Each structure stands twice: as structure tokens, then as C-alpha cells.
Amino acid sequence: MANNDEENTLAPFTYFWAIENCPEFLSSTYIVSPVFIVEDIQSEWCLKTGTEGLFILCFIERQRDSGPEMIEIYLELSLLDTYGHPLIKVSLPYSFMKGDIFERRTFARINDVFLWRRKNFLSYDTLTFRCRIAKVNVSVSRRNVCYARTRLDVHRKSFIWLIRQFNSLRVGDKVSYHLVVTEGESLLLALTLTESYGVEKVHITIETSPRVKFKVRISILDFLGKRHITVNHVRVGRMIDTVHLTEKRVLDRVRYFPFNILTLRCEFLVGCGVKRSGIEGYTYPPSGGGSY
């Protein structure tokens, strides 16, 4: 990999990791790739990714394999575009002990990948990482490629929520809605009225398990079904999230609840972890399925 900056240069070992069903980064923990084996340097590895603040993180971790205690490699980590070319890349020599992790916490900007250049990075909601590895100053007789795939458990849920007798609600009253996402995961929504300095405010609390991360858009509809007040919210890790919807005094009764029914449209994108993950194949499979 002496000419690693040249895109057509073949690496001694290349690992492609496709993350499917990834319209947004909706995971409450790091997403971990299937472990892959680099037989020529007798070692095992995995990639990890997640988000922190405004950034997508990217890690590579050497497993506690039975190979050499220390390995010097030339490493390249990249995010590919829909044609398989690297749009974001970091490359450098690095020495790994067993169990060591190389991390890049500002690997990519979330908005760059999922907003500004979404059509370049995402193909059918699939994000693809590439890792290329070469042992420093060592030539190899053949070049190997490994393919892996991880599918996220992400669900789209939308519904109309009718808040009946809305004008009769008092401060402290609650109206609940139970949203089932999967057999094992659900969200509990509760519309509540609070008061601050004499002003009544409409809030929605959302409670779910720590494993779930969600993005939601909640809109107040008028009597014609048109959106007029819309709030977007992304879960930030709390057990119970509170979404401030509006002040009650701005809701004109004739326009928003002429029959004493407030109508909300709720649109959720819910991540419940990883659905499945595995190695799809090697050009040259490890000997006997190998483990180091």
C-alpha cells in the first residue's frame, strides 16, 4: 500500500461493511461490525460506529486474538459513496497491541452524511464503510476481500391522535397513547398541561426503554387537516423525553378544536438496535474458518 492515496491501488486486505436500514443514525449504543480475520497477519478485528454531538464516530478494534502481541499496520478507514468511492477517508500507520482501539471521534459530520450529501452516501438507506489493512514493510502473495452486512431494526410509525374534550383539560391532567413498535418495544406518550407564570403549556412526554432511540415529528392539524404547528425532536438518552408543543392560548378554538377535539399527527422513526449481522464471505476464506 505504498501508493495508498491512489484509489486504484489494491490493499492486501479489504473489508466492506454495509449497514442497512439506516435512514438516520438511530442506535442508543455503538453499532459493531461482524469480527473479521486478517489471516496474513494472524489477527481478528471489528469496526464500531455511532454518534456523539454533531459527529459520526469510527473505531477499529483488534480482538484479543492469539496472534503476535504487537502488529504494525498501514490502516485506511473510509465512508464510501453509492459508486464505491471514498468520500471521507483517514489513513495512517498504526501499531496495535491485543485489544487496542484506534478511534476517530470526528470522522464525519452527521448532517453531511444524512442531510447535505445524503444522495451521495446512502443507497436504499444503506451506509457502507471500508477498511483496508496492510502490514508495514511486508509484501503478500495474494490480496483478500471480506464482505459483511448489518441490518438495523428501524421502524416507521405514524398515527393520528385525537385529544377529546381538550378544552376541558386542567393543569396536571394527562391523556395517554400506547404505541407498539415491536413485540418487545413500545413507547408511552402522554399529553399534559403545565403552568408557568400563569401561562398554560401543552407538553408531550415520551417514555420507552434505554435500548430505543427515536426521531419524531408532531404536528397540530387544523379543522381542514392542514399542519400549522410542527415540532421535531430526537431522543437524547433520557428514560422520559419531554416535547414542548405549544402554549394553549395560541390555539384558536374555531380553527384547531371546533368540536373540542385537538388533532395531532405523530410521525416516528424508531431504532431498536440491530436486527441481524454477519460475514457474507471472503475471496479467500480463513483456513478452517480460522481463529487467532
Side-chain angles (χ1 to χ4, degrees), residues 25-284:
F25 237 115
L26 291 173
S27 177
S28 58
T29 59
Y30 292 141
I31 302 168
V32 183
S33 80
V35 172
F36 58 96
I37 297 171
V38 185
E39 193 168 34
D40 286 332
I41 55 175
Q42 302 177 345
S43 54
E44 298 181 6
W45 310 78
C46 73
L47 303 182
K48 297 182 181 180
T49 188
T51 57
E52 186 176 86
L54 301 175
F55 293 96
I56 295 172
L57 297 65
C58 187
F59 305 157
I60 181 169
E61 178 180 359
R62 184 185 174 192
Q63 307 300 289
R64 295 193 178 277
D65 49 53
S66 56
E69 192 65 30
M70 193 270 288
I71 297 175
E72 293 182 80
I73 66 170
Y74 196 93
L75 170 69
E76 178 196 291
L77 297 171
S78 55
L79 258 178
L80 304 184
D81 68 11
T82 56
Y83 294 98
H85 303 132
L87 283 181
I88 294 173
K89 181 171 68 175
V90 57
S91 54
L92 72 168
Y94 199 83
S95 298
F96 281 88
M97 302 293 288
K98 294 179 181 181
D100 274 356
I101 299 176
F102 170 80
E103 58 183 55
R104 186 55 60 95
R105 292 187 170 273
T106 57
F107 184 67
R109 286 188 174 273
I110 296 172
N111 283 345
D112 186 27
V113 174
F114 291 100
L115 182 62
W116 302 325
R117 291 196 288 171
R118 182 184 184 90
K119 66 179 181 180
N120 300 114
F121 282 104
L122 292 170
S123 176
Y124 295 98
D125 287 342
T126 298
L127 194 63
T128 303
F129 287 84
R130 187 183 71 185
C131 172
R132 303 206 294 184
I133 291 175
K135 193 170 182 180
V136 174
N137 298 324
V138 174
S139 60
V140 295
S141 58
R142 65 182 185 185
R143 305 184 187 278
N144 205 353
V145 179
C146 176
Y147 299 91
R149 192 172 302 273
T150 296
R151 185 168 181 83
L152 303 184
D153 194 13
V154 175
H155 304 263
R156 296 182 185 272
K157 297 286 184 178
S158 62
F159 58 92
I160 298 296
W161 187 7
L162 302 179
I163 311 297
R164 302 183 185 277
Q165 303 300 316
F166 175 72
N167 205 40
S168 302
L169 294 180
R170 297 292 178 259
V171 173
D173 289 346
K174 290 186 179 181
V175 180
S176 299
Y177 188 101
H178 185 221
L179 175 64
V180 177
V181 181
T182 68
E183 289 185 3
E185 300 292 355
S186 62
L187 290 83
L188 181 62
L189 287 72
L191 181 141
T192 62
L193 287 183
T194 63
E195 185 175 349
S196 177
Y197 299 104
V199 177
E200 290 186 345
K201 299 180 179 181
V202 183
H203 296 278
I204 293 178
T205 59
I206 306 173
E207 182 177 359
T208 187
S209 76
R211 295 182 298 274
V212 172
K213 188 173 181 180
F214 61 80
K215 181 178 181 180
V216 62
R217 178 168 64 175
I218 302 175
S219 302
I220 297 177
L221 307 184
D222 67 10
F223 70 99
L224 294 175
K226 296 180 179 179
R227 303 175 190 265
H228 282 277
I229 297 174
T230 296
V231 176
N232 295 292
H233 178 79
V234 178
R235 188 183 191 195
V236 292
R238 294 185 291 268
M239 281 293 292
I240 300 178
D241 279 38
T242 300
V243 181
H244 171 61
L245 197 55
T246 187
E247 295 178 359
K248 187 177 179 182
R249 64 186 177 184
V250 307
L251 297 175
D252 177 74
R253 179 167 185 168
V254 174
R255 187 174 193 177
Y256 294 108
F257 51 103
F259 304 104
N260 205 11
I261 300 174
L262 184 70
T263 303
L264 306 180
R265 179 175 178 82
C266 304
E267 299 163 282
F268 279 88
L269 195 59
V270 185
C272 301
V274 172
K275 191 169 187 178
R276 59 178 178 270
S277 189
I279 297 290
E280 294 193 326
Y282 292 81
T283 303
Y284 301 102

